[in-house]
Amino acid sequence: VVVPVVAGFVIPTRGAAPEQGTLDSTGTVTFDHAIHAGEYAMPCLGCHVYATQSPSAGLPSARRCMGCHKFVAKEKAGVQGLAALFEKGESPHWLRVTHLPDFIYFSHRMHVRSKVACADCHGEVKDMHAVRMAVTMNMGFCLGCHAERNATVDCVACHK
């Protein structure tokens, strides 16, 4: 099974199939950052709440999404699928977009505290309907960024 690299969530299909129109052919309801971060100017940290306090930025739970969607766009099939997850106490199964090798230590917390803009690494997500890798995150990219900001280039800062 080939899974497309888009930001979205998979509605678990345990038991009966979900309502027709809830999912696309891959079993994914796409999440449109151009609407949320772009049109509505929702800040990254509003959904990725752990970025200020942990290595991982975190992904929103169904509860967080339903905080707005119990009022907004309730008629949309994707939101109805999300609401069904929430009712069952389940969370979306988000598809990973960014992959770093296991030997790399990366902390969102350190980068957020250093005021590195999310777009510096993730691109202008506010303009993306489907999030994609906007930059090649390799050693050269990271060292260039660290050099520009006079951040450490000590190997053990990033390598386990």
Side-chain angles (χ1 to χ4, degrees):
V1 174
V2 176
V3 178
V5 181
V6 296
F9 58 91
V10 177
I11 304 288
T13 56
R14 293 182 203 127
E19 219 177 294
Q20 191 170 10
T22 302
L23 306 172
D24 69 13
S25 62
T26 66
T28 301
V29 177
T30 56
F31 178 86
D32 193 337
H33 277 84
I35 292 172
H36 293 82
E39 187 177 339
Y40 295 115
M42 294 171 64
C44 302
L45 297 175
C47 295
H48 300 282
V49 297
Y50 301 114
T52 60
Q53 55 192 324
S54 76
S56 173
L59 296 167
S61 65
R63 177 178 301 282
R64 177 158 301 278
C65 298
M66 290 307 296
C68 293
H69 282 298
K70 65 184 170 190
F71 305 110
V72 178
K74 296 186 302 187
E75 71 287 351
K76 296 194 181 237
V79 173
Q80 291 172 358
L82 181 65
L85 275 181
F86 178 70
E87 295 285 324
K88 292 190 270 181
E90 295 181 13
S91 289
H93 295 266
W94 295 98
L95 300 176
R96 180 176 289 278
V97 175
T98 305
H99 295 274
L100 294 177
D102 289 343
F103 58 84
I104 299 296
Y105 173 76
F106 177 86
S107 173
H108 277 90
R109 175 184 53 213
M110 298 306 290
H111 289 81
V112 171
R113 287 182 180 172
S114 297
K115 304 207 183 318
V116 176
C118 300
D120 289 354
C121 297
H122 297 288
E124 292 296 337
V125 172
K126 66 182 179 57
D127 298 328
M128 297 180 196
H129 293 286
V131 173
R132 65 191 182 294
M133 290 285 296
V135 301
T136 302
M137 292 184 197
N138 59 24
M139 190 168 170
F141 171 78
C142 295
L143 285 174
C145 186
H146 278 227
E148 285 175 21
R149 291 172 167 81
N150 293 317
T152 184
V153 291
D154 187 352
C155 298
V156 297
C158 303
H159 293 272
K160 297 179 186 178

